[in-house]
Amino acid sequence: MTAPEVVRERLATDLARARDRSRALTDCVDDGDLVAQHSPLMSPLVWDLAHIGNQEELWLVRDVGGREAVRRDIDELYDAFAHPRSTRPALPLLNPDEARRYVTQVRDKAWDVLDRSPLQGRRLERDGFAFAMIAQHEQQHDETMLATHQLRTGPAVLDAPAAPAARTALPAEVIVPGGEFEMGTSTDPWALDNERPSHRVLLPAFVIDAAPVTNGEYLEFLGDGGYDRPELWSERGWAHRRSADLDAPQFWQRDGSGSWWRRVFGRVVPLHPNQPVVHVCYFEAQAYARWAGKRLPTEAEWERAARWDPASGRSRRFPWGDAEPTAAHANLGQRHLEPAEVGAYPDGASPLGVHHLIGDVWEWTSSDFLPYPGFSFFPYREYSEVFFGGDYKVLRGGSFGTDPVACRGTFRNWDHPVRRQIFAGFRCARDVAPGEADV
Ligand code: AVJ
Ligand code: FE
């Protein structure tokens, strides 16, 4: 049990950090850019901004605080289910100045609600859940806005130092022994509904890559005709590869001499061979894995590799233990605008020596997005429940654009298998060969 005053301080920091980021992502472009649609897959940035404020108003100001609405008339405009992303630019949205004023008004009230909440009692307020949920929500939209920035054309407006270089050489693979482990959580106070409840899962031994697949490795697949060999793709994956005319990860381009480059937030940079590949869809990940004689890990395998501590038998919050991530553990929080070289975070490794599980790139798993046994929605069906059983694959681990508040060993992300504007890569896994796990 953490004392309410400590929780309150932490919530204030997390909410303030989210708002600084939302501001930075929306103050760096002009109004025309904020209302424009940079891709039919994305909302205009100004929609995300006001939607962030609207969710905060619904949950913190009205529900937790029991206060008067700031703007009851705009709920429908910012209801993600009422309007698909492609139709949002045509809505009578708040203009950029109005949106900025709106989120500030809501936040001022939310600060007051936070000051007065006991942070205990009612489940929504207990341990500050509602405030943490809203901080996570804002950060998730900030990551979405970062993806919109990546899709946006025109001169670069975002800047960050280069991600760190390798500090240690990694083995190709790690053997994870079979056995039972605790998947999900019933005790992490800020875990979202889909991460709950904790349950025992029994897995046979498996082998998992020590790091995500790099650009250099992916280039070998590409050079070996990976995109031209239907036998490497699933039936659905090949149909998509054909209809979408995929021939390389999104944002890759080749120059006259055959060298590969990558467009990264408005700059064209040489393809870095030792950074994880990013902006591939599930079907590309699946084809690579088959080419490598492997497969994608299941979500349970990923979580066992990330959380299970062989010494204690316990599942921990992060690969390195229960401590919150620092800059030494993982590439999170948009400190860098790219994944780091593999081997750059030795302090972030799991006890078995699996690296880069947290940060750098979201990792596609082979699992569909489904509820854990005993799931119940909280606090609303539309966060997770309505997506269960849809055409979604689970992604794990967070990217360089994920804030620590929205990232942990239990955190589950999901998206359509064709999507690649998200900061997604992957690592491979495989069954153990006979005798391999006995050593
Ligand atoms: C969990 C990232 C898939 O962005 O659609 C934001 C998070 N839910 N607002 C999404 C979310 C409601 C969600 N993902
Ligand atoms: Fe949202």
Side-chain angles (χ1 to χ4, degrees):
M1 269 270 89
T2 313
E5 289 326 305
V6 176
V7 176
R8 203 182 316 275
E9 273 305 302
R10 168 79 201 275
L11 289 166
T13 308
D14 286 338
L15 285 165
R17 187 174 67 255
R19 187 51 47 86
D20 287 347
R21 186 178 180 196
S22 303
R23 272 220 199 85
L25 287 165
T26 50
D27 285 350
C28 59
V29 291
D30 63 24
D31 283 8
D33 240 318
L34 288 174
V35 302
Q37 183 149 59
H38 297 285
S39 155
L41 295 177
M42 310 307 273
S43 315
L45 293 166
V46 75
W47 186 93
D48 284 289
L49 182 63
H51 166 80
I52 285 167
N54 187 241
Q55 286 292 110
E56 183 166 324
E57 159 161 26
L58 289 172
W59 289 104
L60 301 187
V61 176
R62 294 190 211 163
D63 195 320
V64 173
R67 310 290 172 90
E68 272 308 298
V70 179
R71 289 281 304 253
R72 189 172 299 282
D73 56 313
I74 60 173
D75 289 356
E76 199 268 345
L77 281 176
Y78 296 102
D79 175 351
F81 292 88
H83 307 284
R85 284 181 176 180
S86 64
T87 67
R88 291 174 191 166
L91 298 171
L93 302 176
L94 301 187
N95 70 34
D97 279 341
E98 290 166 341
R100 290 189 180 103
R101 223 169 314 128
Y102 172 60
V103 300
T104 305
Q105 280 177 335
V106 170
R107 180 55 60 90
D108 286 346
K109 295 201 180 202
W111 284 138
D112 194 48
V113 174
L114 177 59
D115 278 345
R116 291 161 199 262
S117 169
L119 305 179
Q120 48 199 338
R122 186 185 170 206
R123 184 167 170 204
L124 198 57
E125 283 174 83
R126 200 184 305 156
D127 301 310
F129 177 82
F131 300 91
M133 174 183 82
I134 286 300
Q136 294 181 65
H137 180 259
E138 180 158 358
Q139 287 287 1
Q140 288 185 300
H141 277 274
D142 289 344
E143 182 166 351
T144 298
M145 289 199 276
L146 189 64
T148 305
H149 272 277
Q150 169 62 7
L151 285 161
R152 171 182 171 272
T153 51
V157 296
L158 297 175
D159 237 319
R167 291 176 55 200
T168 182
L170 302 183
E173 300 178 326
V174 170
I175 299 174
V176 181
E180 265 200 16
F181 81 112
E182 181 203 17
M183 185 170 179
T185 176
S186 300
T187 52
D188 190 327
W190 293 356
L192 303 173
D193 59 2
N194 64 54
E195 300 165 70
R196 303 167 186 269
S198 88
H199 53 290
R200 307 285 301 173
V201 172
L202 175 63
L203 291 178
F206 61 97
V207 177
I208 193 160
D209 289 355
V213 170
T214 63
N215 289 324
E217 291 166 333
Y218 198 84
L219 212 43
E220 288 178 41
F221 159 75
L222 199 151
D224 196 31
Y227 280 88
D228 303 317
R229 293 162 55 184
E231 73 276 13
L232 297 176
W233 298 66
S234 64
E235 200 176 319
R236 220 188 130 193
W238 183 249
H240 177 66
R241 130 83 190 95
R242 302 268 310 198
S243 65
D245 208 18
L246 303 184
D247 58 5
Q250 193 174 15
F251 308 113
W252 282 30
Q253 42 186 273
R254 208 206 281 254
D255 68 18
S257 69
S259 301
W260 286 95
W261 299 71
R262 213 162 73 81
R263 186 161 65 76
V264 184
F265 299 104
R267 296 182 181 89
V268 177
V269 299
L271 189 69
H272 196 310
N274 300 326
Q275 289 176 355
V277 66
V278 58
H279 298 299
V280 288
C281 70
Y282 174 81
F283 296 126
E284 290 168 295
Q286 207 185 18
Y288 176 98
R290 194 178 289 180
W291 170 79
K294 303 189 192 185
R295 57 176 173 78
L296 295 177
T298 65
E299 180 182 16
E301 287 172 335
W302 189 96
E303 189 165 323
R304 180 164 167 89
R307 296 186 61 213
W308 181 66
D309 172 26
S312 64
R314 223 168 48 78
S315 288
R316 309 184 302 185
R317 283 195 85 210
F318 296 101
W320 54 85
D322 292 315
E324 291 297 315
T326 67
H329 289 123
N331 181 9
L332 290 168
Q334 205 187 309
R335 285 197 314 276
H336 310 292
L337 289 167
E338 58 183 7
E341 278 190 3
V342 300
Y345 290 97
D347 295 348
S350 75
L352 292 173
V354 187
H355 291 239
H356 296 269
L357 287 153
I358 297 294
D360 296 298
V361 290
W362 286 104
E363 299 181 21
W364 288 108
T365 73
S366 61
S367 299
D368 295 328
F369 186 51
L370 291 169
Y372 290 159
F375 169 87
S376 59
F377 76 85
F378 182 77
Y380 64 112
R381 289 186 194 277
E382 289 76 16
Y383 184 76
S384 311
E385 194 182 76
V386 299
F387 298 98
F388 289 141
D391 184 25
Y392 301 102
K393 290 293 179 186
V394 172
L395 298 117
R396 290 302 202 100
S399 77
F400 62 86
T402 307
D403 186 84
V405 78
C407 191
R408 50 198 163 258
T410 55
F411 193 95
R412 307 172 76 196
N413 194 2
W414 64 93
D415 214 329
H416 295 299
V418 298
R419 289 290 183 256
R420 49 186 206 163
Q421 87 283 359
I422 53 175
F423 304 110
F426 64 98
R427 76 179 70 218
C428 299
R430 61 179 176 84
D431 299 349
V432 290
E436 194 179 18
D438 306 340
V439 282

